[in-house]
Amino acid sequence: MKPLGDVFIKLVKMVVGPVIFLTVVTGISSVGDMKKVGKVGLKALIYFEVVTTFALGIGLVLVNVMGPGRGMNIVAGSLNNAEISKYAVQAKSQSAVEVLMHIVPDNIIGAFGSGDLLQILFFSILFGAALSMMGDKGKPVEEFLERLSYAFFGVINVVMYYAPIGAFGAIAFTIGRFGVGSLSALGMLLVGVLATMVIFVLGVLGLIARIYGFSIFRFLAYLKDELMIVLGTSSSETVLPRMMDKLQRLGCAKPVVGLVIPTGYSFNLDGTSIYLSMAAIFIAQAYNIDLTLWQQLSILALLMVTSKGAAAVTGGGFITLAATMSATGTLPIEGLALLLGIDRFMSTARALTNMIGNGVATMVIAKMEQEFDGERALTEYRSYFDRPAIERI
Protein backbone atom coordinates (compact mmCIF):
# COMPACT_ATOMS: atom_id res chain seq x y z
CA MET A 1 0.00 0.00 0.00
CA LYS A 2 2.84 2.42 0.81
CA PRO A 3 3.94 3.04 -2.81
CA LEU A 4 0.40 4.15 -3.73
CA GLY A 5 0.64 7.08 -1.32
CA ASP A 6 4.30 7.76 -2.06
CA VAL A 7 3.69 8.00 -5.81
CA PHE A 8 0.91 10.54 -5.30
CA ILE A 9 3.15 12.74 -3.13
CA LYS A 10 5.93 12.51 -5.74
CA LEU A 11 3.51 13.44 -8.54
CA VAL A 12 2.44 16.59 -6.73
CA LYS A 13 5.95 17.56 -5.65
CA MET A 14 6.98 17.19 -9.29
CA VAL A 15 5.03 20.33 -10.23
CA VAL A 16 5.06 22.32 -6.97
CA GLY A 17 8.30 24.15 -7.78
CA PRO A 18 7.28 25.30 -11.28
CA VAL A 19 3.78 26.30 -10.10
CA ILE A 20 5.23 28.49 -7.31
CA PHE A 21 7.75 30.04 -9.69
CA LEU A 22 5.17 30.85 -12.35
CA THR A 23 2.56 32.17 -9.90
CA VAL A 24 4.97 34.38 -7.96
CA VAL A 25 6.76 35.76 -11.02
CA THR A 26 3.59 36.61 -12.98
CA GLY A 27 1.93 37.96 -9.83
CA ILE A 28 4.79 40.34 -8.99
CA SER A 29 5.38 41.45 -12.58
CA SER A 30 1.67 42.20 -13.06
CA VAL A 31 1.62 44.47 -9.97
CA GLY A 32 4.48 46.62 -11.22
CA ASP A 33 4.77 48.51 -7.91
CA MET A 34 7.57 46.85 -5.93
CA LYS A 35 6.71 48.89 -2.82
CA LYS A 36 3.32 47.22 -2.77
CA VAL A 37 4.91 43.78 -3.10
CA GLY A 38 7.24 44.55 -0.19
CA LYS A 39 4.32 45.82 1.89
CA VAL A 40 2.38 42.59 1.35
CA GLY A 41 5.43 40.48 2.23
CA LEU A 42 6.14 42.43 5.41
CA LYS A 43 2.53 42.24 6.61
CA ALA A 44 2.49 38.52 5.92
CA LEU A 45 5.68 37.89 7.93
CA ILE A 46 4.40 39.95 10.89
CA TYR A 47 1.09 38.05 10.80
CA PHE A 48 2.94 34.71 10.63
CA GLU A 49 5.12 35.53 13.64
CA VAL A 50 2.21 36.70 15.79
CA VAL A 51 -0.06 33.73 15.01
CA THR A 52 2.62 31.00 15.28
CA THR A 53 3.84 32.47 18.59
CA PHE A 54 0.26 32.34 19.83
CA ALA A 55 0.07 28.68 18.71
CA LEU A 56 3.31 27.88 20.58
CA GLY A 57 1.95 29.57 23.71
CA ILE A 58 -1.36 27.68 23.61
CA GLY A 59 0.48 24.37 23.28
CA LEU A 60 2.78 25.26 26.19
CA VAL A 61 -0.10 26.16 28.51
CA LEU A 62 -2.28 23.14 27.73
CA VAL A 63 0.52 20.55 27.99
CA ASN A 64 1.37 21.92 31.46
CA VAL A 65 -2.29 21.75 32.51
CA MET A 66 -2.83 18.22 31.14
CA GLY A 67 0.58 16.78 32.12
CA PRO A 68 0.42 13.78 29.75
CA GLY A 69 4.02 12.72 30.47
CA ARG A 70 3.81 12.82 34.26
CA GLY A 71 4.21 9.45 35.94
CA MET A 72 6.04 7.74 33.06
CA ASN A 73 9.33 7.95 35.02
CA ILE A 74 11.61 7.23 32.04
CA VAL A 75 15.27 6.69 32.98
CA ALA A 76 17.87 8.53 30.90
CA GLY A 77 19.66 6.18 28.49
CA SER A 78 16.91 3.56 28.46
CA LEU A 79 15.39 4.57 25.12
CA ASN A 80 18.32 4.56 22.73
CA ASN A 81 16.78 3.92 19.34
CA ALA A 82 18.50 3.51 15.97
CA GLU A 83 15.76 5.45 14.19
CA ILE A 84 16.44 8.54 16.32
CA SER A 85 19.99 8.93 15.00
CA LYS A 86 18.85 9.92 11.50
CA TYR A 87 16.73 12.74 12.90
CA ALA A 88 19.59 13.90 15.13
CA VAL A 89 21.95 14.05 12.12
CA GLN A 90 19.45 16.05 10.05
CA ALA A 91 18.75 18.33 13.00
CA LYS A 92 22.35 19.50 13.18
CA SER A 93 21.79 21.70 10.13
CA GLN A 94 18.76 23.46 11.56
CA SER A 95 20.42 26.38 13.43
CA ALA A 96 18.92 29.83 12.90
CA VAL A 97 21.91 31.17 10.93
CA GLU A 98 22.05 28.13 8.67
CA VAL A 99 18.31 28.32 8.00
CA LEU A 100 18.73 31.94 6.86
CA MET A 101 21.81 31.10 4.76
CA HIS A 102 19.95 28.20 3.20
CA ILE A 103 17.35 30.55 1.69
CA VAL A 104 19.84 31.59 -1.01
CA PRO A 105 20.36 28.61 -3.38
CA ASP A 106 23.81 27.57 -4.61
CA ASN A 107 22.21 27.27 -8.03
CA ILE A 108 18.61 27.58 -9.14
CA ILE A 109 18.54 24.23 -10.95
CA GLY A 110 19.48 22.53 -7.70
CA ALA A 111 16.70 24.38 -5.86
CA PHE A 112 14.09 23.14 -8.34
CA GLY A 113 15.63 19.65 -8.28
CA SER A 114 15.41 19.38 -4.49
CA GLY A 115 12.01 21.12 -4.34
CA ASP A 116 13.18 23.58 -1.67
CA LEU A 117 10.23 26.00 -1.37
CA LEU A 118 12.13 28.85 0.29
CA GLN A 119 14.91 28.82 -2.29
CA ILE A 120 12.44 28.69 -5.16
CA LEU A 121 10.43 31.52 -3.61
CA PHE A 122 13.57 33.65 -3.14
CA PHE A 123 14.59 33.25 -6.78
CA SER A 124 11.01 33.78 -7.99
CA ILE A 125 10.74 37.12 -6.14
CA LEU A 126 14.03 38.31 -7.66
CA PHE A 127 12.97 37.18 -11.14
CA GLY A 128 9.54 38.79 -10.83
CA ALA A 129 11.07 42.04 -9.59
CA ALA A 130 13.52 42.09 -12.50
CA LEU A 131 10.72 41.40 -14.96
CA SER A 132 8.64 44.20 -13.44
CA MET A 133 11.51 46.71 -13.77
CA MET A 134 11.90 45.83 -17.45
CA GLY A 135 8.54 47.46 -18.17
CA ASP A 136 7.16 46.82 -21.68
CA LYS A 137 10.23 44.79 -22.64
CA GLY A 138 9.27 42.21 -20.05
CA LYS A 139 5.64 41.85 -21.20
CA PRO A 140 6.34 39.07 -23.78
CA VAL A 141 8.09 36.99 -21.09
CA GLU A 142 5.25 37.64 -18.64
CA GLU A 143 2.64 36.58 -21.21
CA PHE A 144 4.60 33.40 -22.00
CA LEU A 145 4.90 32.47 -18.32
CA GLU A 146 1.18 33.19 -17.83
CA ARG A 147 0.29 30.71 -20.58
CA LEU A 148 2.78 28.21 -19.21
CA SER A 149 1.14 28.42 -15.76
CA TYR A 150 -2.18 27.30 -17.29
CA ALA A 151 -0.44 24.20 -18.64
CA PHE A 152 1.00 23.33 -15.24
CA PHE A 153 -2.36 23.75 -13.52
CA GLY A 154 -3.69 21.41 -16.21
CA VAL A 155 -1.09 18.85 -15.11
CA ILE A 156 -2.32 19.26 -11.53
CA ASN A 157 -5.89 18.53 -12.65
CA VAL A 158 -4.71 15.31 -14.30
CA VAL A 159 -2.71 14.25 -11.22
CA MET A 160 -5.75 14.83 -8.97
CA TYR A 161 -7.61 12.00 -10.71
CA TYR A 162 -5.17 9.73 -8.88
CA ALA A 163 -5.78 11.41 -5.49
CA PRO A 164 -8.35 8.89 -4.13
CA ILE A 165 -6.00 5.97 -4.84
CA GLY A 166 -3.06 7.80 -3.28
CA ALA A 167 -5.03 8.68 -0.15
CA PHE A 168 -6.32 5.11 0.14
CA GLY A 169 -2.79 3.69 -0.03
CA ALA A 170 -1.42 6.17 2.53
CA ILE A 171 -4.19 5.49 5.06
CA ALA A 172 -4.00 1.71 4.58
CA PHE A 173 -0.23 1.77 5.13
CA THR A 174 -0.54 3.86 8.30
CA ILE A 175 -3.08 1.55 9.95
CA GLY A 176 -1.29 -1.60 8.74
CA ARG A 177 2.15 -0.44 9.88
CA PHE A 178 1.30 1.00 13.29
CA GLY A 179 -2.01 -0.71 14.05
CA VAL A 180 -5.10 0.78 15.63
CA GLY A 181 -3.57 -0.01 19.00
CA SER A 182 -0.79 2.52 18.39
CA LEU A 183 -3.35 5.23 19.00
CA SER A 184 -3.66 4.17 22.63
CA ALA A 185 0.09 3.95 23.40
CA LEU A 186 0.42 7.67 24.01
CA GLY A 187 -3.26 8.44 23.76
CA MET A 188 -3.35 11.31 26.21
CA LEU A 189 -0.69 13.28 24.33
CA LEU A 190 -2.31 12.53 20.99
CA VAL A 191 -5.75 13.59 22.19
CA GLY A 192 -4.24 16.68 23.81
CA VAL A 193 -2.48 17.73 20.60
CA LEU A 194 -5.60 17.12 18.50
CA ALA A 195 -7.83 18.99 20.95
CA THR A 196 -5.43 21.92 21.06
CA MET A 197 -5.36 22.12 17.28
CA VAL A 198 -9.17 22.06 17.10
CA ILE A 199 -9.34 24.83 19.71
CA PHE A 200 -6.78 26.82 17.75
CA VAL A 201 -8.55 26.42 14.38
CA LEU A 202 -12.08 27.10 15.62
CA GLY A 203 -11.14 29.55 18.36
CA VAL A 204 -8.11 31.58 17.26
CA LEU A 205 -8.39 31.26 13.48
CA GLY A 206 -12.19 31.41 13.74
CA LEU A 207 -11.95 34.70 15.64
CA ILE A 208 -9.47 36.12 13.12
CA ALA A 209 -11.78 35.08 10.28
CA ARG A 210 -14.75 36.70 11.99
CA ILE A 211 -12.83 39.96 12.48
CA TYR A 212 -12.03 40.04 8.77
CA GLY A 213 -15.55 39.23 7.68
CA PHE A 214 -15.67 35.58 6.66
CA SER A 215 -16.87 32.34 8.23
CA ILE A 216 -14.28 29.73 9.23
CA PHE A 217 -16.93 27.00 8.85
CA ARG A 218 -17.83 28.04 5.31
CA PHE A 219 -14.14 28.33 4.49
CA LEU A 220 -13.42 24.80 5.81
CA ALA A 221 -16.39 23.41 3.89
CA TYR A 222 -15.02 25.01 0.71
CA LEU A 223 -11.66 23.27 1.30
CA LYS A 224 -13.10 19.86 2.19
CA ASP A 225 -11.52 18.09 -0.81
CA GLU A 226 -8.08 19.44 0.04
CA LEU A 227 -8.54 18.51 3.70
CA MET A 228 -9.31 14.90 2.72
CA ILE A 229 -6.17 14.70 0.54
CA VAL A 230 -4.01 16.02 3.41
CA LEU A 231 -5.73 13.58 5.79
CA GLY A 232 -4.65 10.68 3.58
CA THR A 233 -1.11 11.81 2.74
CA SER A 234 -0.10 13.57 6.01
CA SER A 235 1.47 16.34 3.90
CA SER A 236 0.08 19.83 3.30
CA GLU A 237 2.43 20.17 0.33
CA THR A 238 0.26 17.81 -1.71
CA VAL A 239 -2.48 20.45 -1.97
CA LEU A 240 -0.29 23.55 -2.37
CA PRO A 241 -1.04 24.08 -6.09
CA ARG A 242 -4.76 23.45 -5.57
CA MET A 243 -4.84 25.88 -2.62
CA MET A 244 -3.27 28.61 -4.73
CA ASP A 245 -5.80 28.03 -7.49
CA LYS A 246 -8.86 27.86 -5.21
CA LEU A 247 -7.93 30.96 -3.21
CA GLN A 248 -7.59 32.94 -6.43
CA ARG A 249 -11.01 31.71 -7.52
CA LEU A 250 -12.34 32.68 -4.08
CA GLY A 251 -11.40 36.31 -4.71
CA CYS A 252 -7.83 36.70 -3.38
CA ALA A 253 -5.59 38.63 -5.76
CA LYS A 254 -2.95 36.58 -7.57
CA PRO A 255 0.07 38.55 -6.20
CA VAL A 256 -1.16 38.04 -2.62
CA VAL A 257 -1.72 34.30 -3.13
CA GLY A 258 1.64 33.95 -4.87
CA LEU A 259 3.51 35.56 -1.97
CA VAL A 260 1.57 34.44 1.12
CA ILE A 261 0.96 30.74 0.43
CA PRO A 262 4.55 29.67 -0.48
CA THR A 263 6.04 31.82 2.29
CA GLY A 264 3.52 30.45 4.78
CA TYR A 265 4.63 26.90 4.06
CA SER A 266 7.91 27.72 5.83
CA PHE A 267 6.99 30.55 8.20
CA ASN A 268 3.35 29.93 9.16
CA LEU A 269 3.21 26.34 10.39
CA ASP A 270 0.61 26.68 13.15
CA GLY A 271 0.06 22.96 13.62
CA THR A 272 3.78 22.25 13.78
CA SER A 273 4.20 25.02 16.37
CA ILE A 274 1.54 23.48 18.63
CA TYR A 275 3.07 20.02 18.28
CA LEU A 276 6.63 21.21 18.98
CA SER A 277 5.81 23.00 22.22
CA MET A 278 3.64 20.16 23.55
CA ALA A 279 6.05 17.39 22.53
CA ALA A 280 9.08 19.11 24.09
CA ILE A 281 7.37 19.58 27.47
CA PHE A 282 5.88 16.05 27.29
CA ILE A 283 9.39 14.57 27.04
CA ALA A 284 10.54 16.69 29.98
CA GLN A 285 7.60 15.39 32.03
CA ALA A 286 8.31 11.78 31.01
CA TYR A 287 11.92 12.10 32.23
CA ASN A 288 10.86 13.91 35.43
CA ILE A 289 12.80 17.00 34.32
CA ASP A 290 11.28 19.87 36.29
CA LEU A 291 11.56 22.88 33.98
CA THR A 292 11.25 26.32 35.54
CA LEU A 293 9.02 28.95 33.96
CA TRP A 294 12.12 30.71 32.64
CA GLN A 295 13.40 27.48 31.04
CA GLN A 296 10.04 26.88 29.38
CA LEU A 297 9.97 30.43 28.06
CA SER A 298 13.51 29.90 26.76
CA ILE A 299 12.33 26.79 24.89
CA LEU A 300 9.40 28.83 23.56
CA ALA A 301 11.81 31.51 22.27
CA LEU A 302 13.98 28.83 20.66
CA LEU A 303 10.95 27.24 19.01
CA MET A 304 10.00 30.62 17.54
CA VAL A 305 13.18 30.30 15.47
CA THR A 306 13.49 26.56 14.81
CA SER A 307 9.81 26.14 13.87
CA LYS A 308 10.40 28.44 10.88
CA GLY A 309 12.75 25.85 9.44
CA ALA A 310 10.24 22.99 9.63
CA ALA A 311 9.49 21.44 6.29
CA ALA A 312 5.90 21.11 5.13
CA VAL A 313 6.34 17.39 4.41
CA THR A 314 5.96 14.32 6.61
CA GLY A 315 8.77 14.13 9.20
CA GLY A 316 9.75 17.80 9.02
CA GLY A 317 8.30 18.57 12.44
CA PHE A 318 10.15 15.59 13.93
CA ILE A 319 13.48 16.85 12.59
CA THR A 320 12.79 20.34 13.95
CA LEU A 321 11.93 18.89 17.37
CA ALA A 322 15.25 17.03 17.35
CA ALA A 323 17.03 20.31 16.52
CA THR A 324 15.26 22.13 19.37
CA MET A 325 16.04 19.44 21.93
CA SER A 326 19.70 19.36 20.90
CA ALA A 327 19.93 23.14 21.27
CA THR A 328 18.43 23.21 24.77
CA GLY A 329 21.06 20.96 26.31
CA THR A 330 18.40 20.03 28.88
CA LEU A 331 16.09 17.61 27.08
CA PRO A 332 17.42 14.16 26.07
CA ILE A 333 17.10 13.64 22.31
CA GLU A 334 16.56 9.92 22.92
CA GLY A 335 13.12 10.91 24.22
CA LEU A 336 12.00 11.22 20.61
CA ALA A 337 11.65 7.42 20.66
CA LEU A 338 8.56 7.94 22.81
CA LEU A 339 6.87 9.75 19.92
CA LEU A 340 7.79 7.47 17.01
CA GLY A 341 4.72 5.26 17.33
CA ILE A 342 2.20 8.07 17.05
CA ASP A 343 4.14 10.63 15.03
CA ARG A 344 2.40 9.61 11.82
CA PHE A 345 -0.99 10.47 13.34
CA MET A 346 0.24 13.76 14.77
CA SER A 347 1.89 14.52 11.44
CA THR A 348 -1.55 14.36 9.84
CA ALA A 349 -2.98 16.77 12.42
CA ARG A 350 -0.03 19.13 11.92
CA ALA A 351 -0.47 19.13 8.16
CA LEU A 352 -4.21 19.82 8.37
CA THR A 353 -3.72 22.74 10.79
CA ASN A 354 -0.85 24.15 8.73
CA MET A 355 -2.95 24.07 5.58
CA ILE A 356 -5.94 25.78 7.22
CA GLY A 357 -3.68 28.40 8.84
CA ASN A 358 -2.11 29.34 5.52
CA GLY A 359 -5.49 29.56 3.83
CA VAL A 360 -6.81 31.90 6.54
CA ALA A 361 -3.60 33.97 6.38
CA THR A 362 -4.05 34.50 2.63
CA MET A 363 -7.65 35.64 3.08
CA VAL A 364 -6.62 38.02 5.89
CA ILE A 365 -3.69 39.59 3.99
CA ALA A 366 -5.85 39.97 0.86
CA LYS A 367 -8.51 41.78 2.87
CA MET A 368 -5.90 43.93 4.64
CA GLU A 369 -4.54 45.06 1.28
CA GLN A 370 -8.01 45.47 -0.23
CA GLU A 371 -7.03 42.84 -2.78
CA PHE A 372 -10.10 40.69 -2.14
CA ASP A 373 -13.03 40.49 -4.56
CA GLY A 374 -16.13 39.89 -2.44
CA GLU A 375 -18.44 39.49 -5.44
CA ARG A 376 -16.18 36.86 -6.91
CA ALA A 377 -16.11 35.03 -3.58
CA LEU A 378 -19.90 35.00 -3.40
CA THR A 379 -20.15 33.71 -6.97
CA GLU A 380 -17.62 30.97 -6.23
CA TYR A 381 -19.45 29.90 -3.07
CA ARG A 382 -22.75 29.79 -4.96
CA SER A 383 -21.25 27.63 -7.68
CA TYR A 384 -19.60 25.33 -5.11
CA PHE A 385 -22.51 24.91 -2.65
CA ASP A 386 -26.23 24.77 -3.15
CA ARG A 387 -28.12 27.70 -1.59
CA PRO A 388 -29.48 25.79 1.48
CA ALA A 389 -25.91 24.67 2.27
CA ILE A 390 -24.66 28.27 2.17
CA GLU A 391 -27.44 29.36 4.52
CA ARG A 392 -26.67 26.52 6.96
CA ILE A 393 -22.94 27.31 7.01
Side-chain angles (χ1 to χ4, degrees):
M1 292 294 103
K2 189 175 186 293
L4 295 178
D6 291 347
V7 165
F8 175 66
I9 293 175
K10 287 171 70 69
L11 283 170
V12 175
K13 291 178 69 175
M14 173 181 70
V15 292
V16 162
V19 165
I20 289 176
F21 173 76
L22 293 168
T23 304
V24 173
V25 169
T26 54
I28 291 176
S29 61
S30 64
V31 171
D33 185 0
M34 292 309 299
K35 288 184 179 179
K36 188 172 184 178
V37 172
K39 185 181 176 184
V40 170
L42 180 61
K43 282 188 176 181
L45 289 174
I46 292 173
Y47 172 90
F48 294 160
E49 190 59 47
V50 170
V51 175
T52 53
T53 301
F54 205 84
L56 286 167
I58 290 176
L60 198 66
V61 170
L62 290 183
V63 74
N64 275 285
V65 171
M66 295 176 62
R70 294 186 189 121
M72 294 186 73
N73 301 318
I74 305 296
V75 178
S78 63
L79 286 177
N80 288 322
N81 190 306
E83 287 191 61
I84 298 303
S85 60
K86 66 178 181 180
Y87 293 108
V89 170
Q90 289 175 284
K92 290 179 181 177
S93 63
Q94 295 293 311
S95 69
V97 173
E98 288 173 331
V99 167
L100 292 174
M101 290 291 292
H102 185 69
I103 293 175
V104 183
D106 293 325
N107 66 82
I108 190 56
I109 303 301
F112 278 94
S114 63
D116 193 305
L117 297 186
L118 268 184
Q119 292 186 352
I120 293 171
L121 179 63
F122 180 79
F123 176 74
S124 301
I125 292 172
L126 291 180
F127 194 94
L131 201 59
S132 176
M133 290 186 286
M134 288 174 64
D136 292 337
K137 291 182 180 179
K139 289 299 179 185
V141 178
E142 182 185 330
E143 291 172 2
F144 168 74
L145 294 177
E146 186 76 38
R147 292 191 178 99
L148 191 61
S149 68
Y150 293 138
F152 271 96
F153 276 111
V155 173
I156 291 295
N157 290 334
V158 174
V159 169
M160 284 305 140
Y161 285 115
Y162 180 72
I165 299 174
F168 168 78
I171 293 173
F173 163 74
T174 299
I175 300 301
R177 170 67 178 82
F178 299 110
V180 178
S182 62
L183 285 171
S184 63
L186 297 169
M188 191 172 179
L189 175 64
L190 180 62
V191 170
V193 170
L194 294 177
T196 305
M197 291 182 181
V198 170
I199 291 169
F200 179 81
V201 170
L202 299 183
V204 178
L205 296 183
L207 178 60
I208 293 172
R210 187 177 182 85
I211 291 171
Y212 284 91
F214 64 100
S215 166
I216 189 67
F217 296 103
R218 184 182 298 178
F219 186 68
L220 293 177
Y222 178 67
L223 297 177
K224 68 178 187 300
D225 295 336
E226 288 70 30
L227 290 170
M228 291 305 297
I229 292 172
V230 172
L231 181 65
T233 61
S234 294
S235 172
S236 55
E237 195 175 61
T238 53
V239 296
L240 189 150
R242 280 177 63 109
M243 283 287 289
M244 295 174 78
D245 181 48
K246 290 191 81 168
L247 287 167
Q248 287 179 61
R249 288 194 275 120
L250 195 57
C252 297
K254 186 175 182 179
V256 175
V257 174
L259 279 173
V260 177
I261 286 288
T263 309
Y265 267 62
S266 286
F267 291 95
N268 188 42
L269 303 178
D270 301 327
T272 302
S273 297
I274 291 170
Y275 163 77
L276 289 173
S277 59
M278 296 188 75
I281 302 304
F282 167 79
I283 290 172
Q285 292 172 350
Y287 279 83
N288 293 322
I289 298 172
D290 189 16
L291 296 175
T292 64
L293 178 61
W294 175 250
Q295 287 175 315
Q296 293 196 33
L297 291 176
S298 299
I299 292 173
L300 181 66
L302 184 63
L303 286 170
M304 287 170 63
V305 177
T306 56
S307 63
K308 303 302 182 291
V313 295
T314 303
F318 214 62
I319 294 168
T320 304
L321 181 59
T324 305
M325 293 175 65
S326 298
T328 62
T330 305
L331 303 176
I333 197 168
E334 68 175 53
L336 291 174
L338 293 170
L339 305 175
L340 280 175
I342 60 169
D343 185 67
R344 175 76 182 193
F345 300 100
M346 288 197 285
S347 177
T348 301
R350 293 196 299 264
L352 287 168
T353 308
N354 292 341
M355 188 205 93
I356 296 167
N358 282 314
V360 171
T362 306
M363 294 281 286
V364 168
I365 301 299
K367 284 175 172 284
M368 278 184 183
E369 290 297 300
Q370 298 182 339
E371 294 286 349
F372 182 79
D373 188 339
E375 289 297 322
R376 186 174 180 180
L378 188 58
T379 301
E380 176 67 10
Y381 274 139
R382 283 173 175 166
S383 65
Y384 194 80
F385 304 109
D386 56 32
R387 188 171 296 278
I390 292 179
E391 291 172 355
R392 286 197 304 272
I393 296 170

